[in-house]
Amino acid sequence: MIAVEGLAKTLIGPAHELAILRDVDLTVAAGEIVLIRGRSGSGKSTLLFTLGLLDRPTAGTYELDGIETTTLGDKAFDRLRASHIGYLFQNFYLMPRLTAWENVVLPLDHASTDDRRAGTAWANELVELLQIGHRLHHVPSQLSGGEQQRVGLARALVRRPRLLLADEPTGSLDEATGASIAQLMTQVTHELGITAVVASHDTNLFGPLADREFAVADGTVRELAGRP
């Protein structure tokens, strides 16, 4: 699903260059759940943004689902991101004036009529699978943190992505709620055959659930052989 080779990201300023990622090699098989961990400033978020096609690397190659992304034009790049990737964020980023249901189906706004119909049917299945069917008419301020993240997960999955990227998905939740979200996310992605890359400090939650673990430090990435 993911094949990265020699990936680098350098920020070029007026007086100096800052290397954020350096010579990263990374492969993730379809259906795997991978944990990425690292301290703030390690390059972890930049790696996630690059894998999520939210940013382009300075050098190297990134193949997603058999497609070499670094050579794509902007429109093809955006289409691939929209069709292949779902995102789950630490702070939920739900639209505050929309109901839970409206937030879930928001990614379908620009879909064709047939795709919107199919997506809406799938959204109905998702909200039941994620146990939020009874909260769909509430706005985010009326939902608990765990309920908001379930809505966020449904929104991330509503277009049936091949890859789910989660950036500190339990960082705004208490320990018990975070554990339930981690278990639910793992269960759903396994059932749907979705590849997931999770960036998290919370290795106690995600470490035991991940198929593999990687550590990011000083812009480099290495696979961890054992569990902490």
Side-chain angles (χ1 to χ4, degrees):
M1 172 58 68
I2 290 173
V4 167
E5 186 173 349
L7 196 75
K9 179 66 178 180
T10 302
L11 299 182
I12 302 175
H16 65 281
E17 297 183 357
L18 178 62
I20 307 298
L21 295 174
R22 295 180 292 177
D23 199 26
V24 174
D25 295 332
L26 175 69
T27 59
V28 180
E32 274 194 307
I33 296 178
V34 166
L35 172 64
I36 305 287
R37 63 178 186 169
R39 295 180 178 179
S40 296
S42 63
K44 179 168 73 337
S45 293
T46 300
L47 176 61
L48 207 68
F49 291 160
T50 304
L51 295 180
L53 303 183
L54 296 171
D55 198 4
R56 290 182 183 263
T58 308
T61 61
Y62 171 27
E63 189 174 291
L64 174 63
D65 200 21
I67 301 170
E68 174 49 54
T69 67
T70 55
T71 59
L72 293 176
D74 289 344
K75 289 185 178 179
F77 192 80
D78 292 343
R79 283 196 300 269
L80 184 64
R81 180 177 61 242
S83 64
H84 276 62
I85 304 174
Y87 305 89
L88 191 62
F89 304 101
Q90 175 178 346
N91 294 319
F92 319 133
Y93 294 126
L94 302 179
M95 301 297 288
R97 296 186 179 182
L98 300 184
T99 65
W101 173 254
E102 290 168 336
N103 270 284
V104 169
V105 298
L106 190 61
L108 302 175
D109 273 359
H110 300 293
S112 66
T113 300
D114 287 344
D115 287 346
R116 181 191 290 267
R117 186 180 299 114
T120 301
W122 171 232
N124 277 297
E125 294 184 42
L126 271 177
V127 297
E128 295 304 322
L129 182 63
L130 297 173
Q131 303 167 13
I132 51 172
H134 62 299
R135 303 292 280 165
L136 295 180
H137 299 295
H138 295 266
V139 295
S141 62
Q142 298 171 320
L143 303 175
S144 68
E147 288 170 337
Q148 290 186 64
Q149 196 58 301
R150 288 169 189 251
V151 172
L153 182 55
R155 179 186 60 188
L157 299 177
V158 75
R159 294 197 66 171
R160 295 180 181 268
R162 299 290 310 279
L163 173 65
L164 174 68
L165 296 177
D167 190 6
E168 298 288 352
T170 61
S172 297
L173 305 174
D174 61 72
E175 185 176 351
T177 305
S180 70
I181 290 295
Q183 291 282 354
L184 183 62
M185 191 182 80
T186 304
Q187 172 194 336
V188 170
T189 52
H190 270 315
E191 288 181 3
L192 300 178
I194 294 171
T195 306
V197 177
V198 182
S200 178
H201 291 94
D202 207 341
T203 57
N204 289 332
L205 286 184
F206 287 102
L209 301 175
D211 296 304
R212 290 190 294 150
E213 247 181 276
F214 292 84
V216 183
D218 298 324
T220 62
V221 178
R222 66 182 178 90
E223 183 172 357
L224 300 179
R227 295 300 186 203

